[in-house]
């Protein structure tokens, strides 16, 4: 789909952000928040109809285009994204690697192919999306890669073995990129966002039912995470936790890793 002229060329005004997982939940909210602040968007996910509906809504505020992709097919990402950007003369200023999914259940009920899909969508897809756009950002000395990680990366919770591992890898690669390309020298920022419990279709996967009973009362709206993620564009930071007070677990972990582990394990066990 073509992007209106205003978002083309390297001096694009408005600036362009790519948002993966934009068809629902936090990605959708991030795209809405970006458009509200005048950013053009390129929306990526599998469900074309939802992306199209969102893009038409966003166009009331700023240009928007869609690219339907299954991010599990990681081998195709770099060529597909670079091809689409080049064909439409689009130059991204920001990349939100937000697409992802989870599974809740004991390790022995998490087959290897589930671990592989979690790894592909939650980690490798973000790596490949970054590979697709980072060289251009470094060349222009302007850009920001913002990865949606998870509070589960702090201290591994019950039932999240594959999921938390994939998100912990995402945190680690973000830290590595930030170390390799300090923003002062490169002009490119790297951030990761750790949402806590967010009320989205993520929890509609049947495996999450026993956990949802426990955590529903703590769930926050996706708009809250979206605002925090988009705020990073104006005030870059390596890490942001939403809600911010979940960072208390870092302090507890620093003093007593065993206590942090006990708290997180107890809070994440299924309710009967
Ligand atoms: N909800 C929470 O409490 C929570 C907490 C911490 C972190 N997170 C993370 O936050 C991110 C957003 O999740 P959400 O809570 O907003 O859930 P969501 O509403 O289910 O959104 C997930 C998004 O990822 C996309 N996606 C999933 N698999 C994909 C694939 N193979 N290819 C392309 N796109 C794919 C989905 O689009 P399609 O289905 O259209 O492809 C959808 O747009 C995820 O990375 C999740 O792990 C969520």
């Amino acid at each position: 789909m073509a992007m209106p002229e205003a978002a083309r060329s390297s001096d694009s005004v408005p600036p362009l952000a790519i948002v993966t997982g934009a068809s629902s939940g936090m990605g959708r909210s991030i795209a809405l928040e970006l458009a509200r602040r005048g950013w053009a968007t390129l929306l990526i996910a599998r469900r074309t109809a939802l992306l199209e509906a969102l893009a038409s809504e966003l166009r009331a505020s700023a240009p928007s285009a869609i690219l339907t992709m299954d991010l599990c097919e990681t081998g195709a990402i770099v060529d597909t994204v670079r091809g689409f950007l080049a064909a439409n003369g689009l130059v991204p200023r920001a990349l939100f690697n937000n697409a992802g999914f989870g599974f809740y259940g004991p390790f022995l009920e998490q087959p290897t192919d589930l671990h592989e899909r979690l790894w592909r969508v939650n980690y490798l897809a973000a790596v490949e999306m970054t590979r697709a756009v980072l060289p251009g950002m470094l060349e222009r000395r302007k850009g920001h890669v913002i990865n949606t990680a998870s509070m589960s990366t702090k201290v591994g919770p019950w039932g999240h073995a594959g999921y938390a591992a994939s998100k912990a890898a995402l945190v680690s690669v973000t830290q590595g990129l930030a170390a390799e390309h300090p923003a002062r020298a490169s002009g490119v920022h790297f951030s990761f966002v750790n949402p806590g419990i967010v009320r989205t279709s993520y929890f509609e996967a049947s495996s999450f039912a026993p956990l949802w009973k426990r955590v529903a009362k703590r769930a926050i709206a996706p708009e809250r995470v979206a605002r925090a993620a988009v705020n990073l564009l104006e005030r870059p930071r390596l890490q942001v936790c939403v809600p911010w007070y979940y960072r208390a677990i870092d302090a507890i972990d620093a003093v007593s890793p065993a206590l942090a582990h006990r708290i997180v394990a107890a809070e994440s066990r299924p309710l009967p």
Side-chain angles (χ1 to χ4, degrees):
M1 180 189 282
M3 174 76 79
E5 202 62 38
R8 299 181 180 206
S9 95
S10 55
D11 300 323
S12 63
V13 177
L16 172 70
I18 302 176
V19 184
T20 73
S23 58
S24 66
M26 281 181 259
R28 184 175 195 282
S29 298
I30 288 169
L32 284 161
E33 187 63 33
L34 284 163
R36 241 191 308 277
R37 300 190 196 189
W39 282 69
T41 46
L42 172 57
L43 314 174
I44 295 180
R46 291 167 299 182
R47 289 170 291 175
T48 309
L50 291 178
L51 293 180
E52 272 170 356
L54 177 60
S56 3
E57 194 178 333
L58 297 178
R59 283 187 201 115
S61 313
S64 186
I66 72 161
L67 177 55
T68 304
M69 285 175 74
D70 183 348
L71 293 170
C72 216
E73 292 167 21
T74 50
I77 291 175
V78 172
D79 286 350
T80 306
V81 171
R82 283 191 186 158
F84 185 88
L85 293 173
N88 292 282
L90 299 176
V91 176
R93 179 88 63 84
L95 165 63
F96 288 81
N97 283 311
N98 164 80
F101 75 102
F103 178 88
Y104 181 70
F107 173 79
L108 289 177
E109 288 172 22
Q110 299 185 13
T112 304
D113 77 301
L114 170 70
H115 275 249
E116 187 179 338
R117 277 184 291 120
L118 286 164
W119 182 255
R120 282 179 181 276
V121 178
N122 295 352
Y123 171 72
L124 262 191
V127 167
E128 294 305 284
M129 287 295 306
T130 304
R131 204 184 294 290
V133 303
L134 182 57
M137 288 179 174
L138 290 171
E139 204 177 294
R140 294 185 294 280
R141 298 178 51 76
K142 195 173 272 189
H144 200 151
V145 177
I146 298 175
N147 295 327
T148 306
S150 162
M151 279 306 297
S152 68
T153 61
K154 298 282 184 188
V155 178
W158 195 102
H160 287 73
Y163 175 77
S166 68
K167 291 292 190 180
L170 184 60
V171 166
S172 189
V173 82
T174 316
Q175 291 168 333
L177 281 162
E180 277 178 41
H181 305 287
R184 228 174 306 152
S186 69
V188 180
H189 297 271
F190 298 90
S191 306
F192 58 97
V193 179
N194 290 323
I197 307 290
V198 190
R199 193 175 291 277
T200 67
S201 51
Y202 173 92
F203 281 103
E204 283 167 18
S206 56
S207 69
F208 280 105
L211 178 64
W212 185 244
K213 278 196 230 168
R214 181 188 282 283
V215 299
K217 58 184 180 304
R218 284 195 264 133
I220 59 172
E223 291 80 6
R224 185 163 164 193
V225 183
R227 278 194 300 277
V230 176
N231 282 346
L232 287 167
L233 296 170
E234 286 150 26
R235 194 164 159 261
R237 271 189 292 163
L238 179 60
Q239 173 183 187
V240 64
C241 296
V242 194
W244 64 268
Y245 50 80
Y246 275 31
R247 289 194 63 185
I249 202 66
D250 284 334
I252 299 170
D253 192 40
V255 175
S256 170
L259 176 62
H261 183 259
R262 269 204 307 280
I263 293 170
V264 171
E267 283 299 312
S268 52
R269 279 201 189 88
L271 278 185

